[in-house]
Amino acid sequence: MNVSEFLWKRLQEWGLKRAYGYPGDGVGGIDVALQNEIDAGHLEYVQVRHEEMAAFMATAHAKFTGQVGLCFATSGPGAIHLLNGLYDAKLDHVGVVAIMGQQARVALGSNYQQEVDLQSLCKDVASEYIVTVTEPSQIRHAVDRAVRIARDKRAPTVIIVPNDLQLLPYAEPLMAHSFTHTGIGITINSKVPAEEGLRAAAEVLNAGKKVAILAGAGALDATDELLDVAEILGAGIAKALLGKAAVSDELPYVTGSIGLLGTKPSWDLMKECDTFLMVGSAFPYSEFLPKPGQARGVQIDINSANLSLRYPMDVNLQGDSAATLQALIPLLRRNHDRSWRKQIEKEVEKWWKVLEKRAMASAQPLNPQRVFWELSSRLPENAIITADSGSVANWYARDLKMRRGMKASLSGGLASLGAGTPYAMAGKMAFPERTVIACMGDGAMQMNGLNDMITISKYWKQWSNPKLIVLVLNNQDLNQVTWEERIQLGKGKTESTQSIPDFPYHKYAELLGLKGVYVDDPEKVAAAWEEALSADRPVILEARTDPNVPPLPPHITLQQAKAFLSSLPTEAERSSVVRRSAKQILASLMPSRKS
């Protein structure tokens, strides 16, 4: 057995059964060994079109399955391409192992072709663990440590394997000085804080009359516990973007997303509460949280570095969200005063009517909110929804009603453009029986999505359920940044940087042997979704949307209003921008009337 063969077999012993990657001479030996494992039916391999997509897919795999993601790339440019997706894993705290090729050991330091100092390149993104293997027996502890640290630290790790080492015979570590003998044994750690901390937290929560809960990605597996706590305390639940699937939006006390992409009920919940419980979230925007001193706080997080990071909490509990809440629930007292809960439910009910009115407001040709509103009620059971960065994330965050059993994610901390389609591909490979829907803007689709459609066309026939729909909002505008220019900088749209080429996305799908659906009529949006959801193969649904429908924040500040007015003299599309903004604001103020 050579080093490359041992590498793949050891990864399988750790339970890693799917690799995302792209070949190259820097990983030639690893490629050959991988083919042997594929032929034997031991490993599944997804060949991407660009190494960045491999790292994004590995990250999404980790998010959707809870397992460690695995990607690999050749030396030099291939390894460099992995970086963006690995940073996505780092910033969203999920475990990914990246294998990188390297030039021959004898060539290192000679300015050889494709020789890059990968240790230095990756020392930030893989700060928890990065190793260059230089001797055959070293591969054992390199793999063992990389996987264990990625899993337990929820972080990306990197193994660099020079190409001349890959075909050398593997040798077990000697029982001698300087050798180490690692193992695969499971890690058992304490997931529940001490009793003293739980009682202190319960004291704070039991004293609250207006309790607000914020659930993040760390609460995705704590749904029942979150609902029990909310019911006992009469609390409302807001969700950070990565926690969108933590609880169902059908519940009347779930206020939806928080932040610039969030809802007015979530804003009100945070600004009016007297007690704040934060579970599994490092939500970064403190201005959307209670004002310091307004509310007493309790935070639960598996990572102690996140505690009291965004809000000065009274009690900080380091532990697993579900296990900690389970231990906390017996200590909580039922709040019989339901006036706070009734207020929340009233505002949530009103908000959904506001969103419907906003979605139905006319635009030229399509209101993007209408596209999401029509999808929301048609989402299949157990669907997996991904979204890209940009204004599309606003509509994903607000207009889609998540139901229990669904999964959803995007590039959160990094907010990288181009992650939506590789996320969808990874979700489909992990759960081929589920319907997967990727929500894309045209900027992200042109950046990465078109290439990913080739990957989808390569693999879709092996899925038990062929339904994968890529929604593309075609507005020929890098829309989120355009609105940031208007609202934050007080400047009109800069055409040279913001306008992007038109492209026939639905026809491109047909070129690949997939299905294309096009819609530019608001009365035909529902039918377009029905057609896409009933297709017998993956679909690109291209919606021609209006770029001048504003992604209104949940609370418009005086500064934002002033900046918007300041942008109008330099706004080339002033008339359309003013009309669309007025309609959206009126729909918010008068949800009971037609816009």
Side-chain angles (χ1 to χ4, degrees), residues 102-154:
Q102 179 58 288
Q103 291 307 307
R105 292 167 293 171
V106 71
L108 296 180
S110 70
N111 193 28
Y112 205 76
Q113 184 188 34
Q114 292 193 342
E115 181 191 349
V116 173
D117 184 354
L118 297 181
Q119 288 274 166
S120 296
L121 179 76
C122 299
K123 69 179 180 180
D124 179 53
V125 74
S127 56
E128 294 292 347
Y129 186 71
I130 177 172
V131 61
T132 298
V133 181
T134 58
E135 197 275 335
S137 64
Q138 187 187 357
I139 191 68
R140 172 172 153 178
H141 71 250
V143 171
D144 289 351
R145 295 206 69 210
V147 179
R148 185 182 301 279
I149 291 170
R151 184 192 65 189
D152 295 351
K153 295 276 191 177
R154 295 174 172 84

Side-chain angles (χ1 to χ4, degrees), residues 61 176 274:
H61 175 93
D274 62 19

Side-chain angles (χ1 to χ4, degrees), residues 218-239:
L220 289 172
D221 294 324
T223 300
D224 287 329
E225 292 78 10
L226 283 170
L227 300 184
D228 287 347
V229 171
E231 177 57 29
I232 294 169
L233 300 176
I237 304 176
K239 299 183 286 186

